[in-house]
Amino acid sequence: GMTMEAKDVLLADLEHARRVLLESERGAETRVNFLLSFGAAVGAGLAALHSTATPPPWINEVTNAGLGALLLLSLVVYLRVLRRNRLSDHYMRLIKEISGHLHTISSQLAELRYNPRWTPKETAVWSHLRGSYAQMISLIIGLVVVAFTVVSLGQSWQVAIAAGTIAFGTLSF
């Protein structure tokens, strides 16, 4: 059988991996919430500026700076979320591995055939529509590219929508 000490080590490792995974998820949520708040603030500010009867002479510079800052922040958050996704996947595999060791050494669990499914079974449609943070940020980047292309670069809506679609498609799949 397994010594109590070895079981305690596995349980401590399991708790540590669970805690790191939870902190990683919270961090991603905080970053995405900040991005959404920043985007709403930039959008509201630019909408207010553009809705005045006589726009200030520096409106183009402020618009370009606001959209540029939003695009840059979106890209930074996107890269951080991709890193978080890799770490989360690693810790989920680690948790499953540690759990497997605990199951192996517990004869009672083996007799019960205890083997929980940690992730839901996905149908073909849902496997593509996970709505991850990375996909959501890809959509935000695509929309910012559309706005930047029209407002800052003076291109047509058709060109802007094509550019935004390319940005979204490239980053999200």
Side-chain angles (χ1 to χ4, degrees):
M2 172 164 248
T3 66
M4 207 50 184
E5 182 182 312
K7 187 175 179 182
D8 289 343
V9 168
L10 286 171
L11 289 171
D13 284 351
L14 186 63
E15 177 57 25
H16 175 71
R18 188 198 64 77
R19 193 171 36 254
V20 171
L21 179 63
L22 188 61
E23 288 171 9
S24 175
E25 294 296 318
R26 285 184 184 146
E29 189 174 330
T30 300
R31 285 183 193 93
V32 170
N33 285 339
F34 176 76
L35 174 62
L36 293 175
S37 298
F38 184 79
V42 168
L46 293 179
L49 268 179
H50 284 270
S51 66
T52 58
T54 54
W58 38 263
I59 193 167
N60 289 341
E61 289 81 5
V62 170
T63 300
N64 293 345
L67 291 174
L70 183 56
L71 184 59
L72 184 62
L73 180 64
S74 298
L75 287 169
V76 168
V77 171
Y78 175 77
L79 293 173
R80 291 287 302 182
V81 164
L82 290 182
R83 181 177 182 276
R84 188 269 325 193
N85 287 353
R86 285 191 306 275
L87 283 173
S88 292
D89 289 347
H90 170 74
Y91 276 99
M92 283 301 293
R93 283 191 301 273
L94 189 59
I95 288 169
K96 286 180 184 179
E97 182 182 332
I98 295 167
S99 295
H101 288 301
L102 284 167
H103 292 208
T104 301
I105 54 110
S106 175
S107 59
Q108 291 173 338
L109 286 176
E111 289 171 14
L112 292 173
R113 295 188 178 157
Y114 177 75
N115 188 17
R117 177 183 291 276
W118 291 99
T119 54
K121 197 169 191 172
E122 294 180 344
T123 60
V125 171
W126 291 114
S127 67
H128 298 293
L129 300 174
R130 285 192 286 269
S132 70
Y133 284 144
Q135 288 174 325
M136 182 178 65
I137 296 168
S138 300
L139 179 60
I140 291 170
I141 291 170
L143 294 172
V144 173
V145 165
V146 168
F148 190 81
T149 304
V150 169
V151 176
S152 301
L153 301 179
Q155 297 295 317
S156 69
W157 279 104
Q158 292 86 348
V159 170
I161 290 171
T165 302
I166 290 169
F168 171 69
T170 301
L171 296 173
S172 68
F173 299 105

